[in-house]
Amino acid sequence: MSSKPDITLFFLGASRAIRIAWLLEELQLPFELVASPRASNGLAPEEFKAKIPTKMGKSPVIKDGDIVVQESSAIVEYICETYDTSNHLIPKDPKTRAKVREWIAAAEGTFMLHALAILYARWRIPSAAKEHLPEMESSLSVNVHNDLNWLESELSSPSPSSSGGRTWLVGDDVTAADIMMGFNTEFIFTRKLGVEGGEEWPNVQKWLERVKGREAYKKSVERTGYSL
Ligand SMILES: N[C@@H](CCC(=O)N[C@@H](CS)C(=O)NCC(=O)O)C(=O)O
């Protein structure tokens, strides 16, 4: 285990990289920030991509001494396993850990997958087919609704140690589950990706407000200038 962090975070504006900035603030780890706003086409500017030490050039990426890690879920696991000495963000107990890992996997593999299908349809549909976009969005939104219903039901069920609804996704305190899931949930609502139709997810909204009110999250937003 490396005990002395030497972390650089490559941070593209309005992106998943906020997960990593929040995590680093949560653990009070010092880091160098290499940040860039998006180009006018919504992508990462070429000059910024050239600085990122990976072939993909996507954000987030971290460099910690001699290791470079990409993919936000892998970065979260690496940082927690290396620097979260109290193991509170990915708890040691196998059952709690499995639940945290379930959300880490779901953030990209389920929620982002389904939300991005809608965003890519908006971006890429040929103009000759544009009239079919509302129908496409509506059929793709079924997946997003199912995902949010799952999140809503988890947040409505009692946490292991209290009988009320839960404050955080797993257990009584913030874990890597909240840190991974916060971004995609905000992204889905802000970009209106499959959430139209009158259905509401009140516990999801309350949890998202708690995420935004968390001190370490606010610090990460302030330092990076993150805004969706
Ligand atoms: N699955 C990857 C996704 C990385 C990714 O697609 N990042 C986007 C920003 S959220 C990006 O770098 N886009 C800029 C571009 O493609 O130019 C992760 O979880 O880190």
Side-chain angles (χ1 to χ4, degrees):
M1 180 179 128
S2 157
S3 55
K4 202 166 175 300
D6 178 18
I7 300 172
T8 303
L9 170 61
F10 296 87
F11 188 102
L12 178 66
S15 85
R16 296 154 167 96
I18 194 62
R19 291 170 174 155
I20 312 304
W22 176 13
L23 173 63
L24 292 167
E25 293 294 348
E26 198 68 48
L27 291 172
Q28 300 183 336
L29 291 171
F31 64 99
E32 190 187 324
L33 184 66
V34 178
S36 166
R38 287 176 183 262
S40 53
N41 63 3
L43 297 174
E46 285 308 319
E47 321 80 80
F48 175 63
K49 279 189 148 183
K51 291 182 192 160
I52 301 178
T54 60
K55 280 204 167 52
M56 289 285 278
K58 298 276 181 187
S59 170
V61 164
I62 60 152
K63 184 171 182 321
D64 182 18
D66 59 2
I67 184 173
V68 171
V69 189
Q70 58 194 316
E71 290 292 331
S72 52
S73 56
I75 299 171
V76 165
E77 295 201 9
Y78 166 77
I79 291 174
C80 290
E81 283 164 5
T82 310
Y83 298 113
D84 177 16
T85 45
S86 64
N87 300 303
H88 68 289
L89 295 177
I90 303 185
K92 278 259 186 256
D93 165 64
K95 289 185 179 165
T96 316
R97 177 170 281 228
K99 287 287 137 188
V100 169
R101 287 229 155 100
E102 191 173 73
W103 290 115
I104 292 177
E108 283 296 303
T110 299
F111 287 72
M112 282 306 274
L113 177 76
H114 295 149
L116 285 175
I118 297 176
L119 193 68
Y120 290 160
R122 278 182 203 167
W123 282 352
R124 303 277 181 236
I125 196 159
S127 42
K130 274 233 156 80
E131 61 183 297
H132 299 295
L133 187 59
E135 193 188 332
M136 247 186 108
E137 284 210 19
S138 153
S139 65
L140 290 168
S141 78
V142 173
N143 278 331
V144 178
H145 272 67
N146 281 341
D147 300 345
L148 289 172
N149 289 344
W150 170 29
L151 185 57
E152 177 70 17
S153 80
E154 286 288 321
L155 287 164
S156 314
S157 69
S159 77
S161 61
S162 88
S163 52
R166 56 185 63 197
T167 312
W168 300 106
L169 271 174
V170 182
D172 295 323
D173 206 353
V174 155
T175 65
D178 303 285
I179 293 173
M180 279 299 293
M181 286 289 298
F183 167 78
N184 37 273
T185 311
E186 190 193 2
F187 181 72
I188 285 168
F189 284 108
T190 308
R191 300 277 186 269
K192 297 189 169 42
L193 298 170
V195 292
E196 315 282 66
E199 203 163 333
E200 287 182 359
W201 296 274
N203 285 311
V204 172
Q205 298 293 355
K206 279 189 223 151
W207 165 76
L208 206 47
E209 286 313 307
R210 273 194 290 277
V211 165
K212 291 183 189 167
R214 179 95 180 165
E215 219 38 60
Y217 180 84
K218 288 198 287 189
K219 270 191 191 162
S220 68
V221 168
E222 202 177 309
R223 175 148 182 216
T224 58
Y226 166 84
S227 164
L228 271 185

